Amino acid sequence: MSATTSTDSGGAFSFDHRDMMVFILVMSLHGLQSLITELLPEFTVAGLGLEIGPFWFVAMSVVLLFRSFWACLAIPVGGIVFGEILIGDFSALGAVEGLIVITLSWFFVMSLITDPTDVKQIAAFGLLAKAMEETAAWFIDVGKFYVGVEELEAIAWLPETVWATEGVGALTQIVIAGLIFGAIPTLYLYPRLRGKIEPLLGMTPVSGRSGPTFTRESLKRLAAWVLLLPVAFGFEMLSETSGGLIVFEPAFVETYGEAFLLVPITAAAVVAFGLVYYRQRQVEA
């Protein structure tokens, strides 16, 4: 008989070999999609530079299959390991913002799920997670202007316009990454993964719950998101003024060209699909 998810047996923060496999799978898949989107060109609409991706439907479809803190943490860690360290552009202090904001945004959203079989609910909450992430980044970026650690990109006599300029960027990411390359593809991908990925990791699909969408647990997680937002801002400000504490910047891409991205892409693919292949062989044995 398949083991239940760690959430069913030990809470959202429990950690065993199944949680480790979930962490590795999410980390490598998110790192893989982030790197692939780096190779795609940027295009311009009405003078506004737009990037295709990142493909957030990967995170939405896989992470929301599970309800653990570690699945959420794996999203920013994947970006750090494969999108920063392996391409030679890593700053420890600069990475803290994403670790806090992204992890807590998804961790809060997970607490809202009442019916994991309802793909529309999953897609909507996935979009909410991306919107929370971008909103937090918006506040942090504006805050850096006001404390003087970043150059003000606003009308000289009306610095308040920085709220609009940064807000447009945040809204653009919510629409492109959160909706077009997030929630909409999730409607197709999530139901095709549910019930197929979990057994490979020794789990059964999580079940729904009765009661309201917003619970006391949701309130606690939302409060953690709000309270730790200034902490994320503090670390981001330190990274701008004091260096990265631990910095790894050999700049492999600048030295060897974009072809070097194939190295971390290959590494992420080997880890992700190697794990799936290994678990499939164990299940069949």
Side-chain angles (χ1 to χ4, degrees):
M1 181 177 179
S2 298
T4 60
T5 61
S6 58
T7 298
D8 295 331
S9 57
F13 292 99
S14 67
F15 191 80
D16 58 20
H17 69 282
R18 296 184 298 272
D19 295 291
M20 174 64 78
M21 289 186 291
V22 169
F23 182 88
I24 293 173
L25 180 63
V26 174
M27 177 187 70
S28 54
L29 284 176
H30 184 68
L32 179 61
Q33 68 84 18
S34 297
L35 289 162
I36 291 175
T37 56
E38 285 290 329
L39 297 174
L40 300 178
E42 181 179 301
F43 60 96
T44 302
V45 176
L48 182 65
L50 302 176
E51 295 182 353
I52 300 176
F55 297 143
W56 271 98
F57 66 88
V58 176
M60 291 184 187
S61 299
V62 179
V63 173
L64 295 180
L65 290 173
F66 310 98
R67 291 182 182 174
S68 75
F69 172 82
W70 308 106
C72 303
L73 180 62
I75 300 175
V77 170
I80 292 169
V81 172
F82 297 102
E84 296 181 14
I85 294 177
L86 291 186
I87 67 172
D89 184 19
F90 171 72
S91 166
L93 288 177
V96 174
E97 177 194 345
L99 286 172
I100 293 175
V101 170
I102 297 175
T103 301
L104 293 183
S105 296
W106 285 92
F107 194 48
F108 164 70
V109 160
M110 280 186 174
S111 70
L112 302 177
I113 299 174
T114 58
D115 183 4
T117 66
D118 184 352
V119 66
K120 293 181 180 179
Q121 183 183 106
I122 294 295
F125 288 152
L127 177 60
L128 174 60
K130 184 60 179 173
M132 291 178 66
E133 175 198 338
E134 292 298 331
T135 300
W138 176 27
F139 286 129
I140 289 172
D141 289 341
V142 171
K144 289 192 294 183
F145 290 127
Y146 277 97
V147 299
V149 299
E150 196 163 309
E151 184 179 351
L152 186 66
E153 295 180 5
I155 300 173
W157 51 268
L158 189 58
E160 289 76 9
T161 57
V162 70
W163 287 96
T165 56
E166 293 297 322
V168 168
L171 180 60
T172 299
Q173 279 299 303
I174 293 171
V175 173
I176 295 180
L179 181 62
I180 299 176
F181 292 103
I184 294 175
T186 296
L187 294 171
Y188 174 84
L189 183 60
Y190 176 84
R192 286 159 179 77
L193 294 178
R194 177 172 163 80
K196 299 179 178 65
I197 296 295
E198 302 94 331
L200 291 178
L201 303 182
M203 300 177 175
T204 56
V206 293
S207 57
R209 62 173 176 83
S210 58
T213 297
F214 195 87
T215 63
R216 179 175 297 182
E217 181 64 25
S218 303
L219 179 60
K220 292 179 181 178
R221 297 185 187 187
L222 182 59
W225 184 87
V226 173
L227 292 174
L228 288 177
L229 197 57
V231 177
F233 171 72
F235 275 102
E236 184 64 17
M237 187 172 62
L238 283 175
S239 72
E240 297 282 350
T241 58
S242 306
L245 185 62
I246 300 174
V247 178
F248 178 66
E249 295 180 333
F252 294 131
V253 175
E254 287 78 1
T255 303
Y256 302 106
E258 286 196 347
F260 185 83
L261 290 175
L262 294 176
V263 174
I265 286 175
T266 301
V270 168
V271 172
F273 296 108
L275 175 64
V276 172
Y277 176 75
Y278 168 74
R279 287 298 306 170
Q280 188 172 22
R281 291 292 298 272
Q282 282 198 326
V283 170
E284 293 174 351

